[in-house]
Amino acid sequence: MTIHQISVFLENRAGQLADITAVLAENGINLRAIHIAETSDYGVLRIIVDRPQQAAAILLEHGFILSMTPVLAVVVPDVPGSLSKVLAVLAQEGVDVEYMYSVFGLVSDRACMIFRVADVERLAKVLEAHDMAPVSGGTLGIYQ
């Protein structure tokens, strides 16, 4: 159930994001989700791609600094309040969300969120215990 997220560290300057997306596109890597966090000096680009191992190798070859992080994808109904219910369960169970973001598009007319927590295995068990099972990478078109 764990999905590999690639975090790329970027200088805070024009063109960095364009360079990364161009390298991925040239190599046929498809983005599934993207999130950017920034400070005044640098940014962290978090991406979910269809072939994470290949993408990481390609980005490293092009001199980008990156890390791979395990995350969990959770599908929620695409109606008001659905995310709130998931977050309430996590709060009740004492699961601290480090960050989260959404996946491109919908999965079977439902929204899909990516969660980063300290213990993804525990998160999976908590979600499953509340009938909110995480989705596999295959559901999101991730092949590795």
Side-chain angles (χ1 to χ4, degrees):
M1 295 287 175
T2 300
I3 294 171
H4 298 286
Q5 168 192 271
I6 301 171
S7 298
V8 185
F9 301 93
L10 305 172
E11 294 177 50
N12 196 356
R13 66 172 175 81
Q16 284 281 280
L17 189 55
D19 292 344
I20 288 176
T21 56
V23 166
L24 295 174
E26 290 164 4
N27 288 278
I29 305 292
N30 199 4
L31 289 169
R32 298 293 183 216
I34 188 168
H35 176 266
I36 302 171
E38 65 164 300
T39 69
S40 59
D41 297 325
Y42 66 92
V44 177
L45 172 67
R46 295 180 175 115
I47 55 175
I48 306 286
V49 297
D50 61 346
R51 292 173 295 173
Q53 302 301 329
Q54 182 181 1
I58 290 165
L59 290 171
L60 286 169
E61 286 174 15
H62 282 83
F64 292 102
I65 300 169
L66 61 88
S67 65
M68 299 280 279
T69 307
V71 294
L72 214 58
V74 180
V75 174
V76 297
D78 189 26
V79 296
S82 296
L83 179 59
S84 178
K85 289 177 184 175
V86 173
L87 294 174
V89 165
L90 300 185
Q92 172 188 339
E93 297 291 337
V95 176
D96 183 30
V97 177
E98 293 179 23
Y99 56 83
M100 64 179 221
Y101 53 96
S102 62
V103 174
F104 293 154
L106 300 175
V107 178
S108 301
D109 297 325
R110 296 177 289 166
C112 187
M113 301 298 297
I114 301 293
F115 284 90
R116 171 64 178 145
V117 298
D119 186 347
V120 292
E121 298 303 323
R122 179 169 179 259
L123 174 58
K125 289 177 185 174
V126 165
L127 292 169
E128 289 168 357
H130 289 86
D131 296 321
M132 300 176 180
V135 296
S136 68
T139 301
L140 300 176
I142 299 168
Y143 308 114
Q144 296 177 341

mmCIF file of all heavy atoms in Angstrom, residues 3 17 21 24 29-36 45-50 73-75 78 100-114 135 137 139-142:
data_model
loop_
_atom_site.group_PDB
_atom_site.id
_atom_site.type_symbol
_atom_site.label_atom_id
_atom_site.label_comp_id
_atom_site.label_asym_id
_atom_site.label_seq_id
_atom_site.Cartn_x
_atom_site.Cartn_y
_atom_site.Cartn_z
ATOM 1 N N ILE A 3 3.319 4.067 -1.089
ATOM 2 C CA ILE A 3 3.692 4.654 -2.375
ATOM 3 C C ILE A 3 4.986 5.437 -2.167
ATOM 4 O O ILE A 3 5.190 6.029 -1.107
ATOM 5 C CB ILE A 3 2.561 5.572 -2.878
ATOM 6 C CG1 ILE A 3 1.330 4.729 -3.202
ATOM 7 C CG2 ILE A 3 3.002 6.395 -4.077
ATOM 8 C CD1 ILE A 3 0.101 5.539 -3.506
ATOM 9 N N LEU A 17 11.589 24.405 -11.689
ATOM 10 C CA LEU A 17 10.449 23.511 -11.873
ATOM 11 C C LEU A 17 10.300 23.116 -13.343
ATOM 12 O O LEU A 17 10.036 21.960 -13.663
ATOM 13 C CB LEU A 17 9.174 24.170 -11.354
ATOM 14 C CG LEU A 17 7.939 23.305 -11.281
ATOM 15 C CD1 LEU A 17 8.179 22.056 -10.461
ATOM 16 C CD2 LEU A 17 6.784 24.110 -10.696
ATOM 17 N N THR A 21 10.354 19.179 -14.763
ATOM 18 C CA THR A 21 9.237 18.617 -15.525
ATOM 19 C C THR A 21 9.652 18.294 -16.958
ATOM 20 O O THR A 21 9.168 17.323 -17.535
ATOM 21 C CB THR A 21 8.003 19.551 -15.498
ATOM 22 O OG1 THR A 21 8.363 20.844 -15.990
ATOM 23 C CG2 THR A 21 7.441 19.674 -14.083
ATOM 24 N N LEU A 24 11.539 14.928 -16.829
ATOM 25 C CA LEU A 24 10.575 13.836 -16.664
ATOM 26 C C LEU A 24 9.815 13.584 -17.962
ATOM 27 O O LEU A 24 9.655 12.436 -18.387
ATOM 28 C CB LEU A 24 9.613 14.139 -15.512
ATOM 29 C CG LEU A 24 10.255 14.202 -14.117
ATOM 30 C CD1 LEU A 24 9.226 14.653 -13.087
ATOM 31 C CD2 LEU A 24 10.879 12.877 -13.728
ATOM 32 N N ILE A 29 8.013 10.016 -18.170
ATOM 33 C CA ILE A 29 7.543 9.853 -16.789
ATOM 34 C C ILE A 29 6.302 10.731 -16.612
ATOM 35 O O ILE A 29 6.328 11.920 -16.895
ATOM 36 C CB ILE A 29 8.617 10.267 -15.760
ATOM 37 C CG1 ILE A 29 9.923 9.505 -15.994
ATOM 38 C CG2 ILE A 29 8.090 10.114 -14.346
ATOM 39 C CD1 ILE A 29 9.866 8.031 -15.713
ATOM 40 N N ASN A 30 5.224 10.120 -16.108
ATOM 41 C CA ASN A 30 3.966 10.835 -15.946
ATOM 42 C C ASN A 30 3.742 11.216 -14.486
ATOM 43 O O ASN A 30 3.865 10.377 -13.596
ATOM 44 C CB ASN A 30 2.809 9.961 -16.434
ATOM 45 C CG ASN A 30 1.564 10.754 -16.728
ATOM 46 O OD1 ASN A 30 1.544 11.982 -16.656
ATOM 47 N ND2 ASN A 30 0.504 10.044 -17.067
ATOM 48 N N LEU A 31 3.406 12.477 -14.254
ATOM 49 C CA LEU A 31 3.102 12.957 -12.905
ATOM 50 C C LEU A 31 1.716 12.502 -12.488
ATOM 51 O O LEU A 31 0.772 12.563 -13.273
ATOM 52 C CB LEU A 31 3.146 14.484 -12.867
ATOM 53 C CG LEU A 31 4.511 15.136 -12.994
ATOM 54 C CD1 LEU A 31 4.353 16.630 -13.211
ATOM 55 C CD2 LEU A 31 5.351 14.861 -11.766
ATOM 56 N N ARG A 32 1.593 12.059 -11.251
ATOM 57 C CA ARG A 32 0.302 11.690 -10.664
ATOM 58 C C ARG A 32 -0.132 12.709 -9.618
ATOM 59 O O ARG A 32 -1.306 12.924 -9.406
ATOM 60 C CB ARG A 32 0.375 10.299 -10.025
ATOM 61 C CG ARG A 32 0.690 9.195 -11.005
ATOM 62 C CD ARG A 32 -0.444 9.010 -11.975
ATOM 63 N NE ARG A 32 -0.161 7.899 -12.886
ATOM 64 C CZ ARG A 32 -0.514 7.898 -14.138
ATOM 65 N NH1 ARG A 32 -1.147 8.917 -14.666
ATOM 66 N NH2 ARG A 32 -0.251 6.867 -14.904
ATOM 67 N N ALA A 33 0.850 13.314 -8.930
ATOM 68 C CA ALA A 33 0.570 14.346 -7.926
ATOM 69 C C ALA A 33 1.811 15.209 -7.783
ATOM 70 O O ALA A 33 2.931 14.760 -8.049
ATOM 71 C CB ALA A 33 0.208 13.711 -6.587
ATOM 72 N N ILE A 34 1.593 16.458 -7.361
ATOM 73 C CA ILE A 34 2.709 17.387 -7.188
ATOM 74 C C ILE A 34 2.380 18.352 -6.061
ATOM 75 O O ILE A 34 1.231 18.771 -5.905
ATOM 76 C CB ILE A 34 3.009 18.135 -8.512
ATOM 77 C CG1 ILE A 34 4.282 18.968 -8.419
ATOM 78 C CG2 ILE A 34 1.815 18.975 -8.940
ATOM 79 C CD1 ILE A 34 4.769 19.486 -9.766
ATOM 80 N N HIS A 35 3.401 18.677 -5.276
ATOM 81 C CA HIS A 35 3.248 19.621 -4.167
ATOM 82 C C HIS A 35 4.569 20.357 -4.027
ATOM 83 O O HIS A 35 5.642 19.743 -4.102
ATOM 84 C CB HIS A 35 2.925 18.866 -2.875
ATOM 85 C CG HIS A 35 2.858 19.743 -1.684
ATOM 86 N ND1 HIS A 35 3.926 19.959 -0.863
ATOM 87 C CD2 HIS A 35 1.836 20.472 -1.168
ATOM 88 C CE1 HIS A 35 3.572 20.787 0.109
ATOM 89 N NE2 HIS A 35 2.313 21.104 -0.052
ATOM 90 N N ILE A 36 4.500 21.657 -3.807
ATOM 91 C CA ILE A 36 5.719 22.450 -3.632
ATOM 92 C C ILE A 36 5.633 23.179 -2.301
ATOM 93 O O ILE A 36 4.647 23.844 -2.016
ATOM 94 C CB ILE A 36 5.897 23.478 -4.770
ATOM 95 C CG1 ILE A 36 5.950 22.767 -6.108
ATOM 96 C CG2 ILE A 36 7.145 24.317 -4.537
ATOM 97 C CD1 ILE A 36 5.914 23.711 -7.295
ATOM 98 N N LEU A 45 10.135 20.090 -3.824
ATOM 99 C CA LEU A 45 9.130 19.612 -4.766
ATOM 100 C C LEU A 45 8.835 18.166 -4.413
ATOM 101 O O LEU A 45 9.738 17.326 -4.408
ATOM 102 C CB LEU A 45 9.658 19.703 -6.199
ATOM 103 C CG LEU A 45 8.800 19.056 -7.275
ATOM 104 C CD1 LEU A 45 7.481 19.812 -7.442
ATOM 105 C CD2 LEU A 45 9.562 18.996 -8.587
ATOM 106 N N ARG A 46 7.581 17.883 -4.089
ATOM 107 C CA ARG A 46 7.180 16.504 -3.780
ATOM 108 C C ARG A 46 6.321 16.017 -4.936
ATOM 109 O O ARG A 46 5.325 16.662 -5.281
ATOM 110 C CB ARG A 46 6.416 16.460 -2.474
ATOM 111 C CG ARG A 46 7.281 16.856 -1.298
ATOM 112 C CD ARG A 46 6.514 16.808 0.006
ATOM 113 N NE ARG A 46 7.415 17.078 1.094
ATOM 114 C CZ ARG A 46 7.321 18.157 1.883
ATOM 115 N NH1 ARG A 46 6.367 19.031 1.710
ATOM 116 N NH2 ARG A 46 8.188 18.325 2.867
ATOM 117 N N ILE A 47 6.725 14.880 -5.516
ATOM 118 C CA ILE A 47 5.985 14.350 -6.657
ATOM 119 C C ILE A 47 5.707 12.862 -6.474
ATOM 120 O O ILE A 47 6.485 12.132 -5.862
ATOM 121 C CB ILE A 47 6.726 14.589 -7.994
ATOM 122 C CG1 ILE A 47 8.147 14.022 -7.962
ATOM 123 C CG2 ILE A 47 6.725 16.069 -8.358
ATOM 124 C CD1 ILE A 47 8.900 14.124 -9.281
ATOM 125 N N ILE A 48 4.582 12.471 -7.026
ATOM 126 C CA ILE A 48 4.234 11.061 -7.186
ATOM 127 C C ILE A 48 4.203 10.860 -8.698
ATOM 128 O O ILE A 48 3.548 11.624 -9.415
ATOM 129 C CB ILE A 48 2.840 10.734 -6.596
ATOM 130 C CG1 ILE A 48 2.724 11.182 -5.149
ATOM 131 C CG2 ILE A 48 2.522 9.261 -6.794
ATOM 132 C CD1 ILE A 48 3.462 10.347 -4.157
ATOM 133 N N VAL A 49 4.927 9.865 -9.176
ATOM 134 C CA VAL A 49 5.013 9.613 -10.616
ATOM 135 C C VAL A 49 4.669 8.156 -10.902
ATOM 136 O O VAL A 49 4.642 7.329 -9.995
ATOM 137 C CB VAL A 49 6.418 9.952 -11.165
ATOM 138 C CG1 VAL A 49 6.731 11.432 -10.991
ATOM 139 C CG2 VAL A 49 7.488 9.099 -10.500
ATOM 140 N N ASP A 50 4.456 7.863 -12.178
ATOM 141 C CA ASP A 50 4.070 6.503 -12.553
ATOM 142 C C ASP A 50 5.210 5.494 -12.415
ATOM 143 O O ASP A 50 4.968 4.314 -12.196
ATOM 144 C CB ASP A 50 3.465 6.459 -13.955
ATOM 145 C CG ASP A 50 4.405 6.925 -15.049
ATOM 146 O OD1 ASP A 50 5.455 7.532 -14.750
ATOM 147 O OD2 ASP A 50 4.067 6.707 -16.229
ATOM 148 N N ALA A 73 -1.805 6.714 0.100
ATOM 149 C CA ALA A 73 -2.894 7.343 -0.646
ATOM 150 C C ALA A 73 -4.220 6.841 -0.088
ATOM 151 O O ALA A 73 -4.393 5.644 0.127
ATOM 152 C CB ALA A 73 -2.794 7.004 -2.129
ATOM 153 N N VAL A 74 -5.127 7.760 0.136
ATOM 154 C CA VAL A 74 -6.435 7.427 0.685
ATOM 155 C C VAL A 74 -7.504 8.044 -0.202
ATOM 156 O O VAL A 74 -7.463 9.236 -0.494
ATOM 157 C CB VAL A 74 -6.585 7.960 2.127
ATOM 158 C CG1 VAL A 74 -7.955 7.620 2.692
ATOM 159 C CG2 VAL A 74 -5.474 7.418 3.008
ATOM 160 N N VAL A 75 -8.443 7.225 -0.624
ATOM 161 C CA VAL A 75 -9.546 7.699 -1.441
ATOM 162 C C VAL A 75 -10.696 8.093 -0.520
ATOM 163 O O VAL A 75 -11.044 7.354 0.401
ATOM 164 C CB VAL A 75 -9.997 6.616 -2.447
ATOM 165 C CG1 VAL A 75 -11.232 7.052 -3.200
ATOM 166 C CG2 VAL A 75 -8.871 6.313 -3.420
ATOM 167 N N ASP A 78 -16.036 12.252 -2.959
ATOM 168 C CA ASP A 78 -15.897 13.634 -3.418
ATOM 169 C C ASP A 78 -17.152 14.424 -3.054
ATOM 170 O O ASP A 78 -17.896 14.894 -3.917
ATOM 171 C CB ASP A 78 -15.640 13.655 -4.930
ATOM 172 C CG ASP A 78 -15.278 15.047 -5.426
ATOM 173 O OD1 ASP A 78 -14.754 15.844 -4.625
ATOM 174 O OD2 ASP A 78 -15.527 15.330 -6.608
ATOM 175 N N MET A 100 -0.031 16.726 3.721
ATOM 176 C CA MET A 100 -0.882 15.977 2.795
ATOM 177 C C MET A 100 -1.137 16.847 1.574
ATOM 178 O O MET A 100 -0.966 18.062 1.617
ATOM 179 C CB MET A 100 -2.199 15.564 3.445
ATOM 180 C CG MET A 100 -3.063 16.718 3.841
ATOM 181 S SD MET A 100 -4.590 16.128 4.551
ATOM 182 C CE MET A 100 -5.684 17.293 3.798
ATOM 183 N N TYR A 101 -1.516 16.206 0.485
ATOM 184 C CA TYR A 101 -1.888 16.909 -0.733
ATOM 185 C C TYR A 101 -2.716 15.971 -1.586
ATOM 186 O O TYR A 101 -2.825 14.781 -1.305
ATOM 187 C CB TYR A 101 -0.661 17.436 -1.488
ATOM 188 C CG TYR A 101 0.409 16.411 -1.783
ATOM 189 C CD1 TYR A 101 0.449 15.755 -3.011
ATOM 190 C CD2 TYR A 101 1.391 16.106 -0.847
ATOM 191 C CE1 TYR A 101 1.434 14.819 -3.283
ATOM 192 C CE2 TYR A 101 2.389 15.181 -1.116
ATOM 193 C CZ TYR A 101 2.402 14.542 -2.333
ATOM 194 O OH TYR A 101 3.381 13.625 -2.610
ATOM 195 N N SER A 102 -3.311 16.502 -2.634
ATOM 196 C CA SER A 102 -4.211 15.678 -3.439
ATOM 197 C C SER A 102 -3.535 15.152 -4.698
ATOM 198 O O SER A 102 -2.525 15.671 -5.149
ATOM 199 C CB SER A 102 -5.459 16.472 -3.823
ATOM 200 O OG SER A 102 -5.102 17.579 -4.616
ATOM 201 N N VAL A 103 -4.137 14.116 -5.250
ATOM 202 C CA VAL A 103 -3.684 13.485 -6.485
ATOM 203 C C VAL A 103 -4.424 14.135 -7.644
ATOM 204 O O VAL A 103 -5.569 14.576 -7.490
ATOM 205 C CB VAL A 103 -3.988 11.966 -6.432
ATOM 206 C CG1 VAL A 103 -3.676 11.287 -7.746
ATOM 207 C CG2 VAL A 103 -3.206 11.320 -5.302
ATOM 208 N N PHE A 104 -3.802 14.181 -8.825
ATOM 209 C CA PHE A 104 -4.477 14.693 -10.009
ATOM 210 C C PHE A 104 -5.713 13.867 -10.306
ATOM 211 O O PHE A 104 -5.673 12.639 -10.280
ATOM 212 C CB PHE A 104 -3.571 14.628 -11.245
ATOM 213 C CG PHE A 104 -2.367 15.542 -11.197
ATOM 214 C CD1 PHE A 104 -1.238 15.233 -11.911
ATOM 215 C CD2 PHE A 104 -2.364 16.691 -10.447
ATOM 216 C CE1 PHE A 104 -0.119 16.055 -11.895
ATOM 217 C CE2 PHE A 104 -1.266 17.529 -10.417
ATOM 218 C CZ PHE A 104 -0.142 17.211 -11.138
ATOM 219 N N GLY A 105 -6.812 14.527 -10.628
ATOM 220 C CA GLY A 105 -8.024 13.824 -11.042
ATOM 221 C C GLY A 105 -8.692 13.086 -9.910
ATOM 222 O O GLY A 105 -8.367 13.254 -8.737
ATOM 223 N N LEU A 106 -9.633 12.264 -10.267
ATOM 224 C CA LEU A 106 -10.406 11.497 -9.306
ATOM 225 C C LEU A 106 -10.197 10.013 -9.543
ATOM 226 O O LEU A 106 -9.878 9.584 -10.644
ATOM 227 C CB LEU A 106 -11.896 11.818 -9.437
ATOM 228 C CG LEU A 106 -12.317 13.279 -9.216
ATOM 229 C CD1 LEU A 106 -13.798 13.435 -9.505
ATOM 230 C CD2 LEU A 106 -12.015 13.707 -7.801
ATOM 231 N N VAL A 107 -10.418 9.223 -8.514
ATOM 232 C CA VAL A 107 -10.367 7.769 -8.606
ATOM 233 C C VAL A 107 -11.800 7.287 -8.442
ATOM 234 O O VAL A 107 -12.368 7.388 -7.353
ATOM 235 C CB VAL A 107 -9.461 7.173 -7.506
ATOM 236 C CG1 VAL A 107 -9.471 5.663 -7.581
ATOM 237 C CG2 VAL A 107 -8.043 7.715 -7.620
ATOM 238 N N SER A 108 -12.406 6.808 -9.523
ATOM 239 C CA SER A 108 -13.794 6.329 -9.482
ATOM 240 C C SER A 108 -14.724 7.365 -8.860
ATOM 241 O O SER A 108 -15.490 7.083 -7.955
ATOM 242 C CB SER A 108 -13.879 5.008 -8.704
ATOM 243 O OG SER A 108 -13.073 4.041 -9.304
ATOM 244 N N ASP A 109 -14.649 8.601 -9.328
ATOM 245 C CA ASP A 109 -15.486 9.697 -8.847
ATOM 246 C C ASP A 109 -15.280 10.018 -7.369
ATOM 247 O O ASP A 109 -16.178 10.521 -6.706
ATOM 248 C CB ASP A 109 -16.971 9.416 -9.131
ATOM 249 C CG ASP A 109 -17.260 9.330 -10.619
ATOM 250 O OD1 ASP A 109 -16.614 10.084 -11.380
ATOM 251 O OD2 ASP A 109 -18.106 8.528 -11.013
ATOM 252 N N ARG A 110 -14.126 9.684 -6.862
ATOM 253 C CA ARG A 110 -13.774 10.020 -5.487
ATOM 254 C C ARG A 110 -12.449 10.768 -5.501
ATOM 255 O O ARG A 110 -11.634 10.587 -6.388
ATOM 256 C CB ARG A 110 -13.657 8.756 -4.634
ATOM 257 C CG ARG A 110 -14.985 8.012 -4.507
ATOM 258 C CD ARG A 110 -14.843 6.737 -3.737
ATOM 259 N NE ARG A 110 -14.100 5.771 -4.548
ATOM 260 C CZ ARG A 110 -13.572 4.655 -4.080
ATOM 261 N NH1 ARG A 110 -13.680 4.352 -2.818
ATOM 262 N NH2 ARG A 110 -12.925 3.835 -4.870
ATOM 263 N N ALA A 111 -12.253 11.620 -4.512
ATOM 264 C CA ALA A 111 -10.989 12.341 -4.384
ATOM 265 C C ALA A 111 -9.944 11.418 -3.765
ATOM 266 O O ALA A 111 -10.279 10.464 -3.076
ATOM 267 C CB ALA A 111 -11.190 13.573 -3.509
ATOM 268 N N CYS A 112 -8.681 11.712 -4.008
ATOM 269 C CA CYS A 112 -7.606 10.905 -3.444
ATOM 270 C C CYS A 112 -6.574 11.834 -2.817
ATOM 271 O O CYS A 112 -6.124 12.791 -3.440
ATOM 272 C CB CYS A 112 -6.952 10.049 -4.529
ATOM 273 S SG CYS A 112 -5.757 8.873 -3.875
ATOM 274 N N MET A 113 -6.229 11.540 -1.570
ATOM 275 C CA MET A 113 -5.274 12.349 -0.820
ATOM 276 C C MET A 113 -4.024 11.529 -0.518
ATOM 277 O O MET A 113 -4.102 10.328 -0.264
ATOM 278 C CB MET A 113 -5.891 12.808 0.508
ATOM 279 C CG MET A 113 -7.162 13.630 0.362
ATOM 280 S SD MET A 113 -6.908 15.179 -0.530
ATOM 281 C CE MET A 113 -5.784 16.027 0.563
ATOM 282 N N ILE A 114 -2.886 12.206 -0.527
ATOM 283 C CA ILE A 114 -1.609 11.605 -0.147
ATOM 284 C C ILE A 114 -1.294 12.073 1.269
ATOM 285 O O ILE A 114 -1.346 13.273 1.550
ATOM 286 C CB ILE A 114 -0.472 12.042 -1.102
ATOM 287 C CG1 ILE A 114 -0.779 11.644 -2.541
ATOM 288 C CG2 ILE A 114 0.881 11.521 -0.618
ATOM 289 C CD1 ILE A 114 -0.795 10.156 -2.795
ATOM 290 N N VAL A 135 -5.311 3.062 -0.833
ATOM 291 C CA VAL A 135 -5.307 2.464 -2.168
ATOM 292 C C VAL A 135 -3.884 2.110 -2.568
ATOM 293 O O VAL A 135 -2.923 2.705 -2.095
ATOM 294 C CB VAL A 135 -5.945 3.387 -3.231
ATOM 295 C CG1 VAL A 135 -7.408 3.614 -2.924
ATOM 296 C CG2 VAL A 135 -5.219 4.699 -3.344
ATOM 297 N N GLY A 137 -0.681 1.610 -5.274
ATOM 298 C CA GLY A 137 -0.108 2.409 -6.346
ATOM 299 C C GLY A 137 -0.718 2.084 -7.693
ATOM 300 O O GLY A 137 -0.895 2.961 -8.535
ATOM 301 N N THR A 139 -3.735 1.445 -8.429
ATOM 302 C CA THR A 139 -4.978 2.199 -8.594
ATOM 303 C C THR A 139 -4.698 3.588 -9.149
ATOM 304 O O THR A 139 -5.512 4.146 -9.875
ATOM 305 C CB THR A 139 -5.705 2.311 -7.231
ATOM 306 O OG1 THR A 139 -5.966 1.002 -6.742
ATOM 307 C CG2 THR A 139 -7.001 3.091 -7.346
ATOM 308 N N LEU A 140 -3.532 4.130 -8.809
ATOM 309 C CA LEU A 140 -3.164 5.469 -9.258
ATOM 310 C C LEU A 140 -2.292 5.461 -10.514
ATOM 311 O O LEU A 140 -1.799 6.496 -10.930
ATOM 312 C CB LEU A 140 -2.409 6.192 -8.129
ATOM 313 C CG LEU A 140 -3.174 6.371 -6.820
ATOM 314 C CD1 LEU A 140 -2.292 6.999 -5.772
ATOM 315 C CD2 LEU A 140 -4.439 7.170 -7.033
ATOM 316 N N GLY A 141 -2.075 4.279 -11.090
ATOM 317 C CA GLY A 141 -1.257 4.188 -12.293
ATOM 318 C C GLY A 141 0.224 4.269 -11.998
ATOM 319 O O GLY A 141 1.009 4.743 -12.822
ATOM 320 N N ILE A 142 0.641 3.777 -10.822
ATOM 321 C CA ILE A 142 2.049 3.748 -10.447
ATOM 322 C C ILE A 142 2.535 2.309 -10.651
ATOM 323 O O ILE A 142 1.960 1.385 -10.101
ATOM 324 C CB ILE A 142 2.234 4.205 -8.992
ATOM 325 C CG1 ILE A 142 1.720 5.651 -8.842
ATOM 326 C CG2 ILE A 142 3.692 4.088 -8.570
ATOM 327 C CD1 ILE A 142 1.596 6.110 -7.423
#
